[in-house]
């Protein structure tokens, strides 16, 4: 499916150059797509939802793991078959030879966050339309691919870590923090446009500002330090939900927990821990102080009892023994995380872990994945059951004749659970309502509006 910004859907355009756009991958890639689409619309291009209507198709690819690479290559192939004129960008674009080997007829290829190059290539094959301000008006917040009531706020690019299972730094480079004034300006524009929830994203949100030594910037005429904590303090003043993703557990993360306890930002942390065996963490080149992590989780929950913790883990990493895996299960039992994602280790071309000995058989990976998920489902169900009878705030995402579906403060869009309000009609998308929880399962809640 190609993307069409909502505000274009019911307008007829004539004599405009038409671009198809396909965005794959993570929220960080989605933000790159929004940036490119904003530039295209500002220049007067029409973005269309059908291959056969487009003068050219742009595919923004993902290349993080093998399955994502395959999905991207298939999407490129489909675009070539259906349209014939294709420009490729995004993470997989950093591996041009891999794309050319499968799809030699692709017109141009660029890597991630190469906005100017993409626009330059578009100009080469599809001339700029004549500017008509009545047709090419773009909202101040730019083109968004998310619903109107929430948006992703990307605060930096790249990553300074060298995890052996990951090739992101080779694709997106080292950490490159955006000026804090620019980030806050964008946040304010989004809020003014009706956004009720900002999801702060990057490759490493905790490291925001490290590359510029946390220099002082300015916003609204006042000095503001370029750091995650200062950013959260400023975003808290906008009066909306602020959710933190991809937060490495550096010591200064402790400083945002009081902001959550005070209701200034959402009591939600997405921390990619990846494993709990010190030996496997060392092979991954990840922090390995598991006992310290458990102690910090305990302390965070003392300060902010409503804190929701999300994490991701990898099973079947090269060299993982049954003892290592049991350490991971024991960690889950002790940490009792609210939301957990699990991935079976998948070799990625260019990743250091490919050279490690003792690769794990696929059937063992699957067995460990199943055991992991069975345990975590039990923990998640118990954690959600504790909410039955409580009152929570819910942000409405969908409505129909049967009721409404929303998310609590504990639920990020598309990756966490939902709150179902059956029979609750008359609610509006983007509305925040108070709900009494009546039922729970492993992932979702059901309740009634108070």
């Amino acid at each position: 499916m190609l993307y069409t910004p909502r505000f274009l859907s019911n307008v007829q355009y004539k004599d405009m150059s038409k671009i198809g756009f396909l965005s794959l991958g993570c929220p960080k890639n989605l933000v790159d797509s929004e940036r490119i689409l904003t530039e295209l619309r500002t220049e007067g291009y029409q973005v269309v939802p059908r291959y056969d209507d487009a003068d050219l198709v742009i595919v923004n690819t993902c290349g993080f793991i093998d399955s994502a690479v395959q999905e991207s290559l298939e999407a490129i192939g489909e675009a070539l078959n259906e349209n014939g004129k294709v420009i490729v960008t995004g993470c997989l674009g950093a591996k041009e030879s891999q794309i050319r080997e499968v799809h030699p007829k692709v017109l141009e290829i660029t890597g991630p966050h190469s906005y100017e190059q993409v626009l330059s290539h578009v100009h080469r094959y599809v001339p700029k339309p004549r500017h008509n301000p009545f047709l090419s008006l773009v909202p101040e917040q730019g083109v968004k691919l998310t619903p109107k009531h929430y948006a992703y706020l990307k605060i930096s690019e790249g990553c300074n870590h060298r995890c052996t299972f990951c090739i992101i730094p080779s694709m997106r480079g080292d950490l490159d923090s955006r000026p804090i004034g620019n980030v806050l300006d964008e946040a304010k524009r989004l809020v003014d446009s009706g956004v009720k929830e900002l999801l702060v994203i990057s490759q490493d949100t905790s490291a925001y500002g490290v590359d510029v030594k946390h220099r002082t910037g300015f916003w609204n005429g006042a000095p503001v330090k370029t750091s995650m904590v200062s950013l959260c303090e400023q975003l808290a003043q906008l009066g909306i939900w602020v959710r933190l993703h991809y937060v490495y557990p550096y010591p200064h993360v402790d400083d945002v927990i009081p902001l959550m306890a005070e209701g200034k930002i959402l009591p939600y942390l997405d921390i990619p821990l990846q494993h709990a065996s010190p030996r496997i963490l060392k092979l991954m080149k990840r922090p390995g102080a598991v006992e310290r992590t458990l102690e910090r989780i305990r302390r965070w929950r003392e300060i902010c009892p409503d804190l929701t913790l999300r994490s991701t883990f990898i099973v079947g990493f090269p060299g993982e023994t049954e003892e290592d895996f049991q350490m991971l299960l024991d960690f889950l039992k002790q940490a009792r995380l609210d939301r957990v994602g699990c991935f079976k280790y998948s070799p990625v071309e260019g990743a250091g872990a490919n050279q490690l000995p003792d690769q794990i058989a696929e059937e063992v990976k699957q067995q460990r994945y199943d055991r992991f998920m069975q345990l975590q489902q039990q923990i998640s169900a118990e954690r959600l059951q504790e909410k039955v009878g409580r009152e929570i705030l819910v942000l409405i995402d969908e409505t129909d004749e049967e009721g409404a579906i929303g998310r609590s403060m504990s639920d990020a869009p598309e990756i966490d659970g939902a709150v179902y309000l059956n029979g609750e009609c008359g609610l509006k998308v983007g509305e925040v309502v108070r709900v009494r929880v009546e039922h729970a399962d492993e992932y979702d809640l059901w309740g009634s509006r108070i």
Side-chain angles (χ1 to χ4, degrees):
M1 186 182 84
L2 298 181
Y3 284 95
T4 304
R6 290 182 304 280
F7 59 86
L8 297 179
S9 58
N10 296 317
V11 181
Q12 298 297 316
Y13 294 86
K14 297 180 179 179
D15 302 323
M16 291 182 66
S17 300
K18 300 174 182 179
I19 305 296
F21 201 102
L22 184 62
S23 183
L24 305 171
C26 66
K28 295 178 283 292
N29 227 34
L30 188 75
V31 173
D32 290 346
S33 296
E34 291 174 340
R35 172 77 178 270
I36 295 169
L37 286 167
T38 296
E39 296 293 335
L40 288 169
R41 289 294 298 117
T42 299
E43 292 186 355
Y45 289 94
Q46 181 186 358
V47 182
V48 295
R50 292 167 52 90
Y51 288 115
D52 53 5
D53 288 338
D55 299 312
L56 177 147
V57 176
I58 300 172
V59 181
N60 190 5
T61 60
C62 178
F64 182 55
I65 58 177
D66 286 351
S67 59
V69 170
Q70 186 60 36
E71 181 185 19
S72 294
L73 290 174
E74 290 175 358
I76 294 167
E78 179 181 295
L80 283 169
N81 290 335
E82 297 291 335
N83 183 276
K85 297 178 69 175
V86 177
I87 289 175
V88 174
T89 188
C91 289
L92 187 58
K95 300 179 178 180
E96 180 170 354
S97 61
Q98 186 175 357
I99 297 173
R100 293 283 182 199
E101 183 178 346
V102 181
H103 300 300
K105 294 184 179 180
V106 167
L107 297 177
E108 303 286 352
I109 299 173
T110 68
H113 52 92
S114 302
Y115 316 119
E116 293 181 0
Q117 280 184 281
V118 172
L119 268 293
S120 177
H121 292 325
V122 171
H123 298 160
R124 178 179 177 184
Y125 296 100
V126 183
K128 277 188 185 182
R130 289 180 298 175
H131 184 73
N132 183 333
F134 294 103
L135 294 181
S136 60
L137 287 175
V138 177
E140 188 178 5
Q141 75 274 15
V143 174
K144 309 306 293 182
L145 297 178
T146 51
K148 184 178 179 181
H149 62 288
Y150 71 83
Y152 294 100
L153 181 68
K154 185 157 68 169
I155 62 175
S156 65
E157 276 290 354
C159 182
N160 289 341
H161 294 284
R162 295 298 183 265
C163 303
T164 58
F165 56 81
C166 180
I167 57 172
I168 291 296
S170 67
M171 293 180 172
R172 292 182 174 264
D174 290 336
L175 179 69
D176 182 11
S177 299
R178 294 178 59 194
I180 193 162
N182 292 359
V183 173
L184 292 171
D185 282 341
E186 180 180 347
K188 183 64 164 56
R189 288 194 299 270
L190 290 167
V191 173
D192 290 344
S193 74
V195 165
K196 301 295 181 63
E197 177 183 12
L198 286 175
L199 300 107
V200 179
I201 60 170
S202 66
Q203 303 298 334
D204 181 359
T205 297
S206 310
Y208 178 62
V210 167
D211 55 316
V212 295
K213 299 181 179 179
H214 299 301
R215 68 185 174 208
T216 299
F218 289 88
W219 190 59
N220 282 349
V224 183
K225 186 178 180 181
T226 307
S227 72
M228 183 183 73
V229 177
S230 295
L231 176 64
C232 289
E233 290 171 343
Q234 295 300 318
L235 293 175
Q237 299 178 29
L238 297 178
I240 60 166
W241 286 12
V242 176
R243 191 182 301 276
L244 301 181
H245 285 278
Y246 313 116
V247 179
Y248 281 71
Y250 303 148
H252 65 261
V253 174
D254 295 352
D255 297 332
V256 303
I257 305 300
L259 296 177
M260 297 177 178
E262 296 165 11
K264 294 182 178 179
I265 63 175
L266 291 184
Y268 181 102
L269 274 181
D270 175 7
I271 301 180
L273 296 172
Q274 308 299 7
H275 213 280
S277 162
R279 191 179 70 85
I280 296 299
L281 288 169
K282 185 176 181 180
L283 290 173
M284 290 178 169
K285 293 189 176 179
R286 300 279 299 183
V290 177
E291 289 302 321
R292 192 180 307 167
T293 300
L294 286 169
E295 173 58 26
R296 293 179 74 196
I297 290 174
R298 183 193 62 77
R299 192 166 64 248
W300 291 344
R301 284 174 169 159
E302 284 183 353
I303 297 170
C304 183
D306 290 331
L307 177 64
T308 294
L309 292 175
R310 153 168 275 282
S311 191
T312 52
F313 295 90
I314 298 172
V315 297
F317 190 80
E320 182 189 61
T321 64
E322 180 61 27
E323 182 182 2
D324 294 317
F325 179 66
Q326 189 59 51
M327 288 183 183
L328 177 53
L329 297 183
D330 291 343
F331 176 84
L332 289 182
K333 294 175 185 176
Q334 295 177 71
R336 295 183 61 78
L337 303 174
D338 301 271
R339 305 294 194 187
V340 172
C342 181
F343 300 91
K344 292 175 288 185
Y345 171 74
S346 173
V348 181
E349 184 180 350
N354 297 347
Q355 310 306 317
L356 292 174
D358 302 319
Q359 299 284 323
I360 306 300
E362 287 301 319
E363 58 267 25
V364 177
K365 293 180 188 177
Q366 184 64 49
Q367 179 196 59
R368 290 177 180 171
Y369 172 85
D370 293 340
R371 290 165 60 193
F372 180 103
M373 291 305 299
Q374 183 177 9
L375 173 60
Q376 182 54 42
Q377 284 174 359
Q378 177 185 339
I379 294 170
S380 297
E382 292 170 354
R383 296 288 290 172
L384 287 177
Q385 194 65 36
E386 294 170 4
K387 298 186 178 184
V388 174
R390 293 182 53 186
E391 294 182 9
I392 61 173
L393 293 178
V394 173
L395 177 63
I396 303 301
D397 283 335
E398 302 176 41
T399 62
D400 58 26
E401 65 279 359
E402 296 182 358
I405 303 174
R407 290 177 291 108
S408 73
M409 293 182 178
S410 301
D411 304 306
E414 299 185 357
I415 59 173
D416 291 330
V419 182
Y420 293 90
L421 305 176
N422 297 333
E424 297 289 348
C425 301
L427 296 176
K428 297 180 180 179
V429 171
E431 186 177 358
V432 177
V433 297
R434 186 169 292 277
V435 170
R436 179 171 286 108
V437 179
E438 298 169 342
H439 176 69
D441 64 12
E442 296 91 342
Y443 303 108
D444 303 315
L445 299 174
W446 283 258
S448 299
R449 183 182 183 185
I450 298 174

